Short mmCIF file of all heavy atoms in Angstrom, two decimals:
data_model
loop_
_atom_site.label_atom_id
_atom_site.label_comp_id
_atom_site.label_asym_id
_atom_site.label_seq_id
_atom_site.Cartn_x
_atom_site.Cartn_y
_atom_site.Cartn_z
N VAL A 1 165.55 75.96 100.46
CA VAL A 1 166.76 76.00 101.24
C VAL A 1 167.68 77.07 100.68
O VAL A 1 167.98 77.07 99.49
CB VAL A 1 167.48 74.63 101.22
CG1 VAL A 1 168.80 74.70 101.92
CG2 VAL A 1 166.59 73.57 101.83
N ARG A 2 168.09 77.98 101.54
CA ARG A 2 169.02 79.03 101.12
C ARG A 2 170.41 78.45 100.92
O ARG A 2 170.79 77.50 101.58
CB ARG A 2 169.10 80.14 102.16
CG ARG A 2 167.91 81.02 102.16
CD ARG A 2 168.10 82.13 103.16
NE ARG A 2 167.14 83.16 102.82
CZ ARG A 2 167.37 84.44 102.93
NH1 ARG A 2 168.50 84.87 103.39
NH2 ARG A 2 166.45 85.31 102.61
N HIS A 3 171.16 79.06 100.03
CA HIS A 3 172.54 78.64 99.82
C HIS A 3 173.45 79.86 99.76
O HIS A 3 173.01 80.95 99.44
CB HIS A 3 172.67 77.77 98.57
CG HIS A 3 172.23 78.45 97.32
ND1 HIS A 3 170.90 78.56 96.95
CD2 HIS A 3 172.94 79.07 96.35
CE1 HIS A 3 170.83 79.21 95.80
NE2 HIS A 3 172.04 79.53 95.42
N PHE A 4 174.70 79.63 100.11
CA PHE A 4 175.68 80.70 100.11
C PHE A 4 176.29 80.79 98.72
O PHE A 4 176.77 79.81 98.17
CB PHE A 4 176.78 80.40 101.15
CG PHE A 4 177.55 81.60 101.57
CD1 PHE A 4 176.97 82.57 102.37
CD2 PHE A 4 178.86 81.77 101.17
CE1 PHE A 4 177.67 83.68 102.78
CE2 PHE A 4 179.58 82.88 101.57
CZ PHE A 4 178.99 83.83 102.38
N GLN A 5 176.21 81.98 98.12
CA GLN A 5 176.66 82.16 96.74
C GLN A 5 177.41 83.47 96.61
O GLN A 5 176.89 84.52 96.98
CB GLN A 5 175.44 82.15 95.81
CG GLN A 5 175.75 82.37 94.36
CD GLN A 5 174.48 82.36 93.52
OE1 GLN A 5 173.52 81.68 93.84
NE2 GLN A 5 174.47 83.13 92.47
N GLU A 6 178.62 83.41 96.11
CA GLU A 6 179.44 84.60 95.86
C GLU A 6 179.52 85.53 97.07
O GLU A 6 179.34 86.74 96.96
CB GLU A 6 178.93 85.36 94.63
CG GLU A 6 178.99 84.56 93.35
CD GLU A 6 178.50 85.33 92.14
OE1 GLU A 6 178.46 86.57 92.20
OE2 GLU A 6 178.16 84.68 91.15
N GLY A 7 179.74 84.95 98.24
CA GLY A 7 179.96 85.75 99.43
C GLY A 7 178.72 86.25 100.15
O GLY A 7 178.82 87.06 101.05
N HIS A 8 177.54 85.79 99.73
CA HIS A 8 176.32 86.20 100.43
C HIS A 8 175.27 85.10 100.32
O HIS A 8 175.39 84.20 99.51
CB HIS A 8 175.78 87.53 99.87
CG HIS A 8 175.27 87.41 98.47
ND1 HIS A 8 176.08 87.46 97.37
CD2 HIS A 8 174.02 87.24 98.00
CE1 HIS A 8 175.34 87.31 96.28
NE2 HIS A 8 174.09 87.19 96.63
N TRP A 9 174.25 85.21 101.14
CA TRP A 9 173.16 84.24 101.10
C TRP A 9 172.22 84.59 99.95
O TRP A 9 171.77 85.72 99.84
CB TRP A 9 172.40 84.22 102.42
CG TRP A 9 173.21 83.61 103.50
CD1 TRP A 9 173.92 84.27 104.45
CD2 TRP A 9 173.43 82.23 103.71
NE1 TRP A 9 174.58 83.37 105.26
CE2 TRP A 9 174.29 82.10 104.82
CE3 TRP A 9 173.00 81.07 103.08
CZ2 TRP A 9 174.71 80.87 105.31
CZ3 TRP A 9 173.42 79.84 103.57
CH2 TRP A 9 174.26 79.75 104.66
N ALA A 10 171.95 83.62 99.10
CA ALA A 10 171.05 83.83 97.97
C ALA A 10 169.61 83.49 98.37
O ALA A 10 169.38 82.68 99.27
CB ALA A 10 171.48 82.95 96.80
N MET A 11 168.67 84.12 97.70
CA MET A 11 167.26 83.83 97.96
C MET A 11 166.90 82.45 97.44
O MET A 11 167.48 81.98 96.46
CB MET A 11 166.37 84.85 97.23
CG MET A 11 166.21 86.15 97.92
SD MET A 11 164.90 87.12 97.14
CE MET A 11 165.89 88.31 96.28
N THR A 12 165.92 81.85 98.09
CA THR A 12 165.38 80.60 97.58
C THR A 12 164.50 80.91 96.36
O THR A 12 164.13 82.07 96.12
CB THR A 12 164.52 79.89 98.63
OG1 THR A 12 163.36 80.71 98.91
CG2 THR A 12 165.30 79.63 99.91
N HIS A 13 164.15 79.86 95.63
CA HIS A 13 163.27 80.04 94.47
C HIS A 13 161.93 80.64 94.93
O HIS A 13 161.40 81.55 94.28
CB HIS A 13 163.05 78.70 93.77
CG HIS A 13 162.16 78.79 92.58
ND1 HIS A 13 162.57 79.33 91.39
CD2 HIS A 13 160.86 78.45 92.41
CE1 HIS A 13 161.56 79.31 90.52
NE2 HIS A 13 160.52 78.78 91.12
N GLN A 14 161.40 80.16 96.04
CA GLN A 14 160.11 80.67 96.53
C GLN A 14 160.22 82.13 96.94
O GLN A 14 159.31 82.92 96.67
CB GLN A 14 159.60 79.84 97.71
CG GLN A 14 158.21 80.26 98.17
CD GLN A 14 157.17 80.19 97.06
OE1 GLN A 14 157.00 79.14 96.44
NE2 GLN A 14 156.48 81.28 96.80
N GLU A 15 161.31 82.51 97.58
CA GLU A 15 161.50 83.91 97.95
C GLU A 15 161.56 84.80 96.71
O GLU A 15 160.98 85.88 96.68
CB GLU A 15 162.78 84.08 98.77
CG GLU A 15 162.67 83.53 100.17
CD GLU A 15 163.99 83.52 100.91
OE1 GLU A 15 165.05 83.30 100.27
OE2 GLU A 15 163.95 83.72 102.13
N LEU A 16 162.25 84.32 95.68
CA LEU A 16 162.33 85.08 94.44
C LEU A 16 160.95 85.21 93.79
O LEU A 16 160.59 86.28 93.30
CB LEU A 16 163.32 84.42 93.48
CG LEU A 16 163.77 85.23 92.30
CD1 LEU A 16 164.36 86.57 92.71
CD2 LEU A 16 164.78 84.43 91.48
N GLU A 17 160.16 84.14 93.82
CA GLU A 17 158.79 84.20 93.30
C GLU A 17 157.95 85.20 94.09
O GLU A 17 157.16 85.95 93.51
CB GLU A 17 158.14 82.81 93.36
CG GLU A 17 158.69 81.82 92.36
CD GLU A 17 158.28 82.13 90.94
OE1 GLU A 17 157.17 82.67 90.73
OE2 GLU A 17 159.06 81.82 90.03
N ASP A 18 158.13 85.22 95.41
CA ASP A 18 157.39 86.16 96.26
C ASP A 18 157.77 87.60 95.95
O ASP A 18 156.90 88.48 95.90
CB ASP A 18 157.63 85.86 97.74
CG ASP A 18 157.05 84.53 98.19
OD1 ASP A 18 156.21 83.95 97.46
OD2 ASP A 18 157.45 84.06 99.27
N VAL A 19 159.06 87.85 95.73
CA VAL A 19 159.52 89.19 95.36
C VAL A 19 158.92 89.60 94.02
O VAL A 19 158.44 90.72 93.86
CB VAL A 19 161.06 89.25 95.32
CG1 VAL A 19 161.55 90.52 94.67
CG2 VAL A 19 161.63 89.12 96.73
N TYR A 20 158.92 88.68 93.06
CA TYR A 20 158.35 88.97 91.75
C TYR A 20 156.87 89.34 91.87
O TYR A 20 156.41 90.31 91.28
CB TYR A 20 158.53 87.76 90.82
CG TYR A 20 157.94 87.99 89.46
CD1 TYR A 20 158.67 88.63 88.47
CD2 TYR A 20 156.65 87.58 89.15
CE1 TYR A 20 158.14 88.86 87.21
CE2 TYR A 20 156.11 87.79 87.89
CZ TYR A 20 156.85 88.43 86.94
OH TYR A 20 156.32 88.66 85.70
N ALA A 21 156.14 88.57 92.67
CA ALA A 21 154.71 88.83 92.86
C ALA A 21 154.48 90.19 93.51
O ALA A 21 153.59 90.95 93.10
CB ALA A 21 154.07 87.72 93.68
N ALA A 22 155.28 90.51 94.53
CA ALA A 22 155.14 91.80 95.21
C ALA A 22 155.47 92.94 94.26
O ALA A 22 154.80 93.98 94.26
CB ALA A 22 156.06 91.84 96.44
N LEU A 23 156.50 92.76 93.45
CA LEU A 23 156.88 93.79 92.47
C LEU A 23 155.77 93.99 91.44
O LEU A 23 155.39 95.13 91.15
CB LEU A 23 158.19 93.38 91.79
CG LEU A 23 158.75 94.34 90.75
CD1 LEU A 23 158.99 95.72 91.34
CD2 LEU A 23 160.03 93.76 90.18
N ALA A 24 155.24 92.90 90.91
CA ALA A 24 154.17 93.01 89.91
C ALA A 24 152.94 93.70 90.50
O ALA A 24 152.33 94.56 89.85
CB ALA A 24 153.80 91.62 89.41
N GLN A 25 152.61 93.36 91.74
CA GLN A 25 151.46 93.98 92.39
C GLN A 25 151.68 95.48 92.59
O GLN A 25 150.79 96.29 92.34
CB GLN A 25 151.21 93.30 93.74
CG GLN A 25 150.00 93.83 94.46
CD GLN A 25 149.77 93.12 95.78
OE1 GLN A 25 150.69 92.55 96.37
NE2 GLN A 25 148.54 93.16 96.25
N LYS A 26 152.87 95.87 93.00
CA LYS A 26 153.15 97.29 93.23
C LYS A 26 153.20 98.06 91.92
O LYS A 26 152.74 99.21 91.86
CB LYS A 26 154.46 97.44 94.01
CG LYS A 26 154.59 98.74 94.73
CD LYS A 26 153.47 99.03 95.72
CE LYS A 26 153.53 98.20 96.95
NZ LYS A 26 152.57 98.61 97.98
N ILE A 27 153.72 97.45 90.86
CA ILE A 27 153.72 98.10 89.55
C ILE A 27 152.29 98.38 89.11
O ILE A 27 151.98 99.47 88.62
CB ILE A 27 154.47 97.25 88.50
CG1 ILE A 27 155.98 97.32 88.77
CG2 ILE A 27 154.16 97.70 87.09
CD1 ILE A 27 156.81 96.34 87.94
N ASP A 28 151.41 97.41 89.29
CA ASP A 28 150.00 97.63 88.97
C ASP A 28 149.40 98.74 89.82
O ASP A 28 148.62 99.56 89.34
CB ASP A 28 149.20 96.34 89.17
CG ASP A 28 149.47 95.30 88.10
OD1 ASP A 28 150.04 95.65 87.04
OD2 ASP A 28 149.11 94.12 88.33
N ALA A 29 149.77 98.77 91.11
CA ALA A 29 149.20 99.74 92.03
C ALA A 29 149.63 101.17 91.71
O ALA A 29 148.83 102.10 91.84
CB ALA A 29 149.58 99.40 93.47
N VAL A 30 150.89 101.37 91.30
CA VAL A 30 151.35 102.73 91.01
C VAL A 30 150.86 103.21 89.66
O VAL A 30 150.81 104.42 89.42
CB VAL A 30 152.89 102.88 91.10
CG1 VAL A 30 153.38 102.51 92.49
CG2 VAL A 30 153.61 102.11 90.03
N GLY A 31 150.49 102.31 88.79
CA GLY A 31 149.94 102.68 87.49
C GLY A 31 151.00 102.94 86.43
O GLY A 31 152.17 103.17 86.73
N ALA A 32 150.55 102.92 85.20
CA ALA A 32 151.45 103.07 84.05
C ALA A 32 152.18 104.41 84.05
O ALA A 32 153.35 104.48 83.66
CB ALA A 32 150.66 102.89 82.75
N ASP A 33 151.51 105.47 84.49
CA ASP A 33 152.13 106.79 84.48
C ASP A 33 153.30 106.91 85.46
O ASP A 33 154.19 107.74 85.27
CB ASP A 33 151.10 107.88 84.79
CG ASP A 33 150.10 108.07 83.69
OD1 ASP A 33 150.36 107.63 82.56
OD2 ASP A 33 149.04 108.67 83.96
N ASN A 34 153.30 106.10 86.52
CA ASN A 34 154.34 106.17 87.55
C ASN A 34 155.30 104.99 87.55
O ASN A 34 156.22 104.93 88.37
CB ASN A 34 153.71 106.29 88.93
CG ASN A 34 153.00 107.60 89.12
OD1 ASN A 34 153.55 108.65 88.82
ND2 ASN A 34 151.77 107.55 89.59
N CYS A 35 155.09 104.05 86.65
CA CYS A 35 155.87 102.81 86.65
C CYS A 35 157.37 103.06 86.48
O CYS A 35 158.18 102.52 87.24
CB CYS A 35 155.36 101.89 85.55
SG CYS A 35 156.22 100.31 85.49
N GLU A 36 157.76 103.88 85.52
CA GLU A 36 159.19 104.12 85.29
C GLU A 36 159.83 104.81 86.49
O GLU A 36 160.95 104.44 86.89
CB GLU A 36 159.40 104.94 84.03
CG GLU A 36 159.14 104.16 82.76
CD GLU A 36 159.42 104.96 81.50
OE1 GLU A 36 160.12 106.01 81.59
OE2 GLU A 36 158.96 104.55 80.44
N LEU A 37 159.16 105.78 87.07
CA LEU A 37 159.70 106.46 88.25
C LEU A 37 159.80 105.50 89.43
O LEU A 37 160.80 105.49 90.14
CB LEU A 37 158.83 107.67 88.61
CG LEU A 37 159.29 108.49 89.81
CD1 LEU A 37 160.71 109.02 89.61
CD2 LEU A 37 158.31 109.63 90.06
N PHE A 38 158.77 104.69 89.62
CA PHE A 38 158.80 103.69 90.69
C PHE A 38 159.99 102.75 90.52
O PHE A 38 160.73 102.49 91.48
CB PHE A 38 157.48 102.89 90.72
CG PHE A 38 157.57 101.64 91.53
CD1 PHE A 38 157.62 101.71 92.92
CD2 PHE A 38 157.62 100.39 90.93
CE1 PHE A 38 157.72 100.54 93.69
CE2 PHE A 38 157.71 99.24 91.68
CZ PHE A 38 157.76 99.31 93.06
N LEU A 39 160.19 102.22 89.31
CA LEU A 39 161.30 101.29 89.08
C LEU A 39 162.66 101.96 89.25
O LEU A 39 163.60 101.35 89.76
CB LEU A 39 161.17 100.65 87.70
CG LEU A 39 159.99 99.68 87.54
CD1 LEU A 39 159.86 99.23 86.09
CD2 LEU A 39 160.13 98.49 88.48
N ALA A 40 162.77 103.22 88.86
CA ALA A 40 164.02 103.96 89.06
C ALA A 40 164.30 104.14 90.55
O ALA A 40 165.42 103.92 91.02
CB ALA A 40 163.95 105.31 88.36
N LYS A 41 163.28 104.55 91.31
CA LYS A 41 163.44 104.73 92.75
C LYS A 41 163.80 103.41 93.43
O LYS A 41 164.69 103.36 94.29
CB LYS A 41 162.17 105.31 93.37
CG LYS A 41 161.95 106.77 93.08
CD LYS A 41 160.69 107.24 93.78
CE LYS A 41 160.52 108.73 93.67
NZ LYS A 41 159.41 109.21 94.50
N LEU A 42 163.10 102.35 93.05
CA LEU A 42 163.38 101.04 93.62
C LEU A 42 164.80 100.60 93.31
O LEU A 42 165.52 100.10 94.18
CB LEU A 42 162.38 100.01 93.09
CG LEU A 42 162.61 98.57 93.54
CD1 LEU A 42 162.53 98.44 95.06
CD2 LEU A 42 161.62 97.64 92.86
N SER A 43 165.24 100.81 92.08
CA SER A 43 166.60 100.44 91.69
C SER A 43 167.64 101.17 92.52
O SER A 43 168.63 100.57 92.97
CB SER A 43 166.82 100.74 90.20
OG SER A 43 165.96 99.97 89.40
N LEU A 44 167.43 102.46 92.73
CA LEU A 44 168.38 103.23 93.53
C LEU A 44 168.37 102.81 95.00
O LEU A 44 169.43 102.73 95.64
CB LEU A 44 168.10 104.73 93.39
CG LEU A 44 168.41 105.30 92.01
CD1 LEU A 44 167.94 106.75 91.92
CD2 LEU A 44 169.89 105.20 91.69
N LEU A 45 167.20 102.53 95.54
CA LEU A 45 167.12 102.05 96.92
C LEU A 45 167.83 100.71 97.08
O LEU A 45 168.57 100.49 98.05
CB LEU A 45 165.66 101.92 97.37
CG LEU A 45 164.93 103.22 97.66
CD1 LEU A 45 163.42 102.96 97.78
CD2 LEU A 45 165.46 103.85 98.93
N LEU A 46 167.61 99.80 96.14
CA LEU A 46 168.26 98.49 96.21
C LEU A 46 169.77 98.60 96.01
O LEU A 46 170.54 97.90 96.65
CB LEU A 46 167.65 97.54 95.18
CG LEU A 46 166.21 97.13 95.45
CD1 LEU A 46 165.63 96.35 94.26
CD2 LEU A 46 166.10 96.31 96.73
N ALA A 47 170.20 99.51 95.12
CA ALA A 47 171.63 99.73 94.93
C ALA A 47 172.27 100.25 96.21
O ALA A 47 173.35 99.81 96.61
CB ALA A 47 171.86 100.71 93.78
N TYR A 48 171.60 101.18 96.87
CA TYR A 48 172.10 101.74 98.12
C TYR A 48 172.20 100.65 99.19
O TYR A 48 173.19 100.55 99.90
CB TYR A 48 171.19 102.88 98.59
CG TYR A 48 171.64 103.49 99.88
CD1 TYR A 48 172.69 104.40 99.91
CD2 TYR A 48 171.03 103.16 101.08
CE1 TYR A 48 173.13 104.96 101.10
CE2 TYR A 48 171.45 103.72 102.28
CZ TYR A 48 172.50 104.62 102.29
OH TYR A 48 172.92 105.16 103.46
N GLU A 49 171.16 99.83 99.30
CA GLU A 49 171.15 98.74 100.28
C GLU A 49 172.23 97.72 99.98
O GLU A 49 172.83 97.15 100.89
CB GLU A 49 169.78 98.05 100.31
CG GLU A 49 168.71 98.85 100.98
CD GLU A 49 168.96 99.04 102.48
OE1 GLU A 49 169.40 98.09 103.15
OE2 GLU A 49 168.73 100.16 102.96
N ASN A 50 172.51 97.48 98.70
CA ASN A 50 173.54 96.52 98.29
C ASN A 50 174.91 97.00 98.73
O ASN A 50 175.72 96.22 99.21
CB ASN A 50 173.48 96.30 96.78
CG ASN A 50 174.54 95.36 96.29
OD1 ASN A 50 175.69 95.75 96.14
ND2 ASN A 50 174.15 94.13 96.04
N GLY A 51 175.19 98.28 98.53
CA GLY A 51 176.42 98.87 98.99
C GLY A 51 177.67 98.56 98.17
O GLY A 51 178.77 98.91 98.57
N ASP A 52 177.51 97.90 97.04
CA ASP A 52 178.67 97.53 96.21
C ASP A 52 178.44 98.04 94.80
O ASP A 52 177.74 97.43 94.00
CB ASP A 52 178.83 96.01 96.22
CG ASP A 52 180.04 95.50 95.46
OD1 ASP A 52 180.54 96.21 94.57
OD2 ASP A 52 180.48 94.37 95.75
N ALA A 53 179.03 99.20 94.49
CA ALA A 53 178.78 99.85 93.20
C ALA A 53 179.16 98.97 92.02
O ALA A 53 178.48 98.97 90.99
CB ALA A 53 179.53 101.18 93.13
N GLU A 54 180.24 98.21 92.15
CA GLU A 54 180.67 97.33 91.04
C GLU A 54 179.65 96.23 90.80
O GLU A 54 179.30 95.93 89.66
CB GLU A 54 182.04 96.73 91.36
CG GLU A 54 182.62 95.95 90.20
CD GLU A 54 184.03 95.47 90.47
OE1 GLU A 54 184.77 96.15 91.20
OE2 GLU A 54 184.38 94.41 89.94
N LYS A 55 179.15 95.63 91.88
CA LYS A 55 178.14 94.58 91.74
C LYS A 55 176.84 95.15 91.15
O LYS A 55 176.19 94.52 90.32
CB LYS A 55 177.86 93.91 93.08
CG LYS A 55 176.90 92.74 92.96
CD LYS A 55 176.87 91.94 94.22
CE LYS A 55 178.09 91.08 94.19
NZ LYS A 55 177.98 89.77 94.74
N VAL A 56 176.48 96.37 91.56
CA VAL A 56 175.28 97.01 91.02
C VAL A 56 175.45 97.25 89.52
O VAL A 56 174.55 96.98 88.72
CB VAL A 56 174.97 98.32 91.76
CG1 VAL A 56 173.86 99.11 91.06
CG2 VAL A 56 174.57 98.03 93.20
N ALA A 57 176.63 97.72 89.11
CA ALA A 57 176.90 97.94 87.68
C ALA A 57 176.81 96.62 86.91
O ALA A 57 176.28 96.58 85.80
CB ALA A 57 178.27 98.58 87.49
N ASP A 58 177.30 95.54 87.50
CA ASP A 58 177.19 94.22 86.87
C ASP A 58 175.72 93.80 86.71
O ASP A 58 175.34 93.24 85.68
CB ASP A 58 177.94 93.16 87.68
CG ASP A 58 179.45 93.31 87.63
OD1 ASP A 58 179.96 94.04 86.74
OD2 ASP A 58 180.13 92.70 88.48
N CYS A 59 174.92 94.10 87.72
CA CYS A 59 173.49 93.78 87.65
C CYS A 59 172.79 94.60 86.56
O CYS A 59 171.91 94.09 85.86
CB CYS A 59 172.82 94.01 89.00
SG CYS A 59 173.29 92.82 90.26
N ILE A 60 173.17 95.86 86.43
CA ILE A 60 172.60 96.71 85.38
C ILE A 60 172.92 96.11 84.02
O ILE A 60 172.04 95.99 83.15
CB ILE A 60 173.13 98.15 85.50
CG1 ILE A 60 172.57 98.81 86.76
CG2 ILE A 60 172.78 98.97 84.25
CD1 ILE A 60 173.25 100.12 87.13
N ASP A 61 174.17 95.70 83.83
CA ASP A 61 174.57 95.08 82.56
C ASP A 61 173.81 93.78 82.32
O ASP A 61 173.36 93.51 81.20
CB ASP A 61 176.07 94.82 82.54
CG ASP A 61 176.89 96.09 82.42
OD1 ASP A 61 176.34 97.13 82.01
OD2 ASP A 61 178.10 96.03 82.75
N ALA A 62 173.66 92.97 83.36
CA ALA A 62 172.95 91.69 83.22
C ALA A 62 171.48 91.91 82.86
O ALA A 62 170.93 91.18 82.03
CB ALA A 62 173.07 90.89 84.52
N ALA A 63 170.85 92.90 83.47
CA ALA A 63 169.45 93.20 83.16
C ALA A 63 169.28 93.66 81.73
O ALA A 63 168.30 93.32 81.06
CB ALA A 63 168.90 94.24 84.13
N ALA A 64 170.24 94.42 81.22
CA ALA A 64 170.15 94.94 79.85
C ALA A 64 170.53 93.90 78.82
O ALA A 64 170.10 93.98 77.66
CB ALA A 64 171.05 96.16 79.70
N ALA A 65 171.29 92.89 79.21
CA ALA A 65 171.82 91.90 78.27
C ALA A 65 170.73 91.14 77.53
O ALA A 65 170.91 90.75 76.38
CB ALA A 65 172.75 90.93 78.97
N SER A 66 169.59 90.93 78.16
CA SER A 66 168.53 90.15 77.52
C SER A 66 167.63 90.99 76.62
O SER A 66 166.72 90.46 75.99
CB SER A 66 167.69 89.45 78.58
OG SER A 66 167.02 90.41 79.38
N LEU A 67 167.87 92.30 76.56
CA LEU A 67 167.06 93.18 75.73
C LEU A 67 167.70 93.32 74.37
O LEU A 67 168.93 93.29 74.24
CB LEU A 67 166.91 94.54 76.39
CG LEU A 67 166.28 94.55 77.78
CD1 LEU A 67 166.28 95.95 78.36
CD2 LEU A 67 164.88 93.99 77.74
N SER A 68 166.91 93.54 73.36
CA SER A 68 167.47 93.75 72.03
C SER A 68 168.15 95.11 72.00
O SER A 68 167.76 96.04 72.73
CB SER A 68 166.37 93.67 70.97
OG SER A 68 165.47 94.73 71.11
N PRO A 69 169.17 95.28 71.14
CA PRO A 69 169.91 96.56 71.08
C PRO A 69 169.01 97.78 70.86
O PRO A 69 169.27 98.84 71.39
CB PRO A 69 170.85 96.38 69.90
CG PRO A 69 171.05 94.90 69.81
CD PRO A 69 169.73 94.30 70.24
N ARG A 70 167.94 97.63 70.14
CA ARG A 70 167.06 98.79 69.92
C ARG A 70 166.31 99.19 71.18
O ARG A 70 165.83 100.30 71.30
CB ARG A 70 166.10 98.54 68.78
CG ARG A 70 165.08 97.47 69.05
CD ARG A 70 164.23 97.17 67.81
NE ARG A 70 163.37 96.06 68.08
CZ ARG A 70 162.11 96.16 68.42
NH1 ARG A 70 161.54 97.35 68.49
NH2 ARG A 70 161.37 95.10 68.68
N ASP A 71 166.22 98.25 72.16
CA ASP A 71 165.54 98.54 73.42
C ASP A 71 166.47 99.23 74.43
O ASP A 71 166.02 99.70 75.45
CB ASP A 71 165.01 97.26 74.05
CG ASP A 71 163.86 96.66 73.25
OD1 ASP A 71 163.22 97.41 72.50
OD2 ASP A 71 163.62 95.45 73.38
N LEU A 72 167.77 99.26 74.16
CA LEU A 72 168.72 99.80 75.15
C LEU A 72 168.82 101.31 75.05
O LEU A 72 168.74 101.94 74.11
CB LEU A 72 170.09 99.17 74.95
CG LEU A 72 170.11 97.66 75.18
CD1 LEU A 72 171.51 97.12 74.93
CD2 LEU A 72 169.71 97.33 76.60
#
């Protein structure tokens, strides 16, 4: 069941699992040599679709928060 969160409809757990599976499959398909470029392109496309630069910046910070400082 979808729910309304912070002004937009959030994905269900199953939808998020499906996105994860599709992402993992595409990462495998593009190969290790193209993985970083693929993820950069995907990030920019999703940021553009989101349309909210502040929210995108918050997502960037959230994604980096779980990495150790040496990984940043």
Side-chain angles (χ1 to χ4, degrees):
V1 174
R2 284 183 163 216
H3 59 280
F4 200 71
Q5 178 181 329
E6 298 181 20
H8 68 278
W9 289 100
M11 280 191 254
T12 65
H13 180 75
Q14 185 57 55
E15 288 172 325
L16 194 55
E17 289 289 328
D18 293 345
V19 168
Y20 179 85
L23 180 58
Q25 182 179 23
K26 201 57 73 172
I27 287 171
D28 287 345
V30 301
D33 291 342
N34 293 311
C35 182
E36 288 183 17
L37 181 58
F38 165 73
L39 291 173
K41 286 182 172 188
L42 176 60
S43 297
L44 291 173
L45 286 167
L46 292 172
Y48 180 78
E49 286 294 319
N50 178 281
D52 183 337
E54 187 175 329
K55 184 168 281 215
V56 171
D58 290 344
C59 290
I60 292 168
D61 289 341
S66 64
L67 301 176
S68 66
R70 67 186 174 99
D71 291 338
L72 297 179

